[in-house]
Amino acid sequence: MTRTALVAGAAGFLGSHLVDRLLRDGWAVVGLDNLSTGRRSNLNPARGHTRFRFQRVDLSRPAKIPPADLVFQLASPASPPRYQEDPIGTLAVNSIGTGQLLERAYRDSARFVLASTSEVYGDPEVVPQPEAYWGHVNPIGVRSCYDEGKRYAEALTMAWHRQRGLDVRIARIFNTYGPRMALDDGRVISTFLRQALTGSPLTVHGEGTQTRSYCYVDDMVDGLVRLANVPTVAGPVNLGNPRGEMSVLGVAELIRRLTRSHSKIVFLPRTRDDPERRRPDIRRARTLLRWSPRTPLRAGLVRTARYVRTELTSPASHSVLPAG
Ligand code: UDP
């Protein structure tokens, strides 16, 4: 019998790639999204599939959630400008939304997979960050709606596991990039590629010495699927690319070279509570999931640049893009 996976946040960047992969793996997939930051067009490849169904649902309010054998919770704004525009909604979907999905999974004896984040480590004092690190988060800062929202979601997930015996998985996802990122999401890779390809200045925040580790989306989805498939896992697992750590200025220069862009680099004020260094320790993922990212940063950026070029020439994109 075909088994059903529920993907909350299905129209998002990561969610839509996960949907495609689950369909390829033979699952029936129900995608949920309120389309606040996700886009219908991300689901175009899935739409023609007989095993795929989409429901527009806002999980931050009480909602009717369909049954499933496997539940993925990826529903949340995830880029800093987007979650900072709607901090109440971000906290609501991570608390109320996660709670409803956990309850649904419990009723169906389903497995539950939470998409958590490297942001649970805040501005880390330990590099690289292992899962055992408790983090350094400003609980009332501008990023706290996301960081604390995800920390609450992790706490709630572990509570359902300990108190009710629910089979749960927690992925701590580090920076991920690739096709289907929204070009107006304000994130570093989508923004720099768009700027480089349109000849606008690349906007580096601060001096650009802060680092992130960048993982290509196909590798991330593979990690998530492996995490969902292994028989048992206790506690969270970091998913990210430890070899992809680079300064923001380094990324700007690399993107300029790869796209043969003549764009200038300009320096803007650093954003508040911006983490200084982020790099995953993925020893757990290597051992438990036999997983590590395969796509080198250059190769992933070339593929993503191809996508950004196509988006920029599609008429639909022009209305949503910010200037510069
Ligand atoms: N950043 C930047 N210019 C931009 C967008 C982002 O310098 O136009 C910086 C941002 O301040 C941060 C880093 O790039 O230091 C990564 O930002 P992103 O929003 O991609 O992800 P996150 O902060 O959630 O890791």
Side-chain angles (χ1 to χ4, degrees):
M1 212 184 74
T2 309
R3 286 159 55 80
T4 300
L6 189 77
V7 178
F13 159 56
L14 202 49
S16 64
H17 283 280
L18 177 64
V19 167
D20 293 345
R21 166 69 191 264
L22 292 168
L23 288 169
R24 279 204 298 282
D25 289 355
W27 290 84
V29 180
V30 181
L32 309 182
D33 208 297
N34 69 351
L35 300 174
S36 65
T37 57
R39 293 181 303 167
R40 265 181 204 281
S41 60
N42 286 344
L43 292 170
N44 284 346
R47 238 169 240 288
H49 216 293
T50 49
R51 279 184 276 110
F52 180 68
R53 202 152 55 82
F54 177 73
Q55 284 182 27
R56 188 170 183 169
V57 172
D58 182 358
L59 291 167
S60 61
R61 298 158 198 276
K64 202 167 168 323
I65 299 169
D69 304 287
L70 174 62
V71 175
F72 287 93
Q73 160 51 331
L74 280 78
S76 172
S79 94
R82 292 289 162 273
Y83 62 67
Q84 288 173 33
E85 263 163 29
D86 184 16
I88 298 173
T90 302
L91 282 159
V93 74
N94 281 294
S95 53
I96 299 163
T98 304
Q100 296 191 78
L101 292 164
L102 281 160
E103 244 179 278
R104 179 76 252 184
Y106 180 70
R107 282 209 299 280
D108 300 335
S109 304
R111 185 170 285 177
F112 179 85
V113 183
L114 173 68
S116 184
T117 170
S118 56
E119 282 283 325
V120 300
Y121 302 124
D123 188 4
E125 296 148 308
V126 174
V127 181
Q129 294 89 47
E131 291 85 352
Y133 178 50
W134 289 358
H136 181 225
V137 172
N138 175 355
I140 56 161
V142 290
R143 297 174 84 106
S144 66
C145 58
Y146 188 67
D147 301 13
E148 297 292 7
K150 291 290 186 186
R151 286 170 72 101
Y152 175 85
E154 285 200 10
L156 193 59
T157 300
M158 290 309 294
W160 276 87
H161 172 64
R162 292 199 182 99
Q163 199 173 333
R164 302 278 163 80
L166 187 66
D167 183 359
V168 303
R169 314 290 152 99
I170 297 173
R172 290 190 177 150
I173 298 174
F174 284 65
N175 296 63
T176 304
Y177 70 97
R180 297 189 194 160
M181 294 188 93
L183 300 195
D184 61 346
D185 70 359
R187 286 189 151 151
V188 66
I189 293 209
S190 45
T191 304
F192 286 176
L193 279 172
R194 172 172 55 74
Q195 291 167 335
L197 291 170
T198 54
S200 313
L202 272 62
T203 49
V204 169
H205 299 161
E207 291 169 17
T209 51
Q210 68 273 35
T211 73
R212 297 293 187 272
S213 299
Y214 302 97
C215 182
Y216 189 64
V217 63
D218 291 355
D219 289 327
M220 183 55 64
V221 166
D222 188 52
L224 273 175
V225 168
R226 281 171 190 254
L227 180 63
N229 285 338
V230 284
T232 47
V233 188
V237 179
N238 285 340
L239 295 177
N241 185 5
R243 281 187 299 197
E245 185 181 12
M246 194 178 264
S247 71
V248 165
L249 185 56
V251 172
E253 283 163 350
L254 177 60
I255 285 181
R256 244 168 36 128
R257 271 202 309 281
L258 288 178
T259 56
R260 299 199 176 85
S261 168
H262 298 296
S263 291
K264 285 187 303 197
I265 293 180
V266 294
F267 294 87
L268 302 181
R270 184 90 179 262
T271 57
R272 266 185 293 165
D273 292 343
D274 187 37
E276 192 55 42
R277 274 193 80 182
R278 209 186 270 148
R279 179 178 176 197
D281 177 333
I282 61 161
R283 277 176 294 180
R284 288 201 75 186
R286 277 190 214 278
T287 314
L288 291 171
L289 316 180
R290 306 204 172 290
W291 176 87
S292 60
R294 293 170 186 283
T295 314
L297 186 56
R298 281 171 158 274
L301 285 176
V302 168
R303 276 181 236 168
T304 312
R306 213 173 293 145
Y307 151 79
V308 172
R309 236 180 234 117
T310 314
E311 282 288 289
L312 287 170
T313 49
S314 97
S317 69
H318 297 301
S319 55
V320 296
L321 291 181

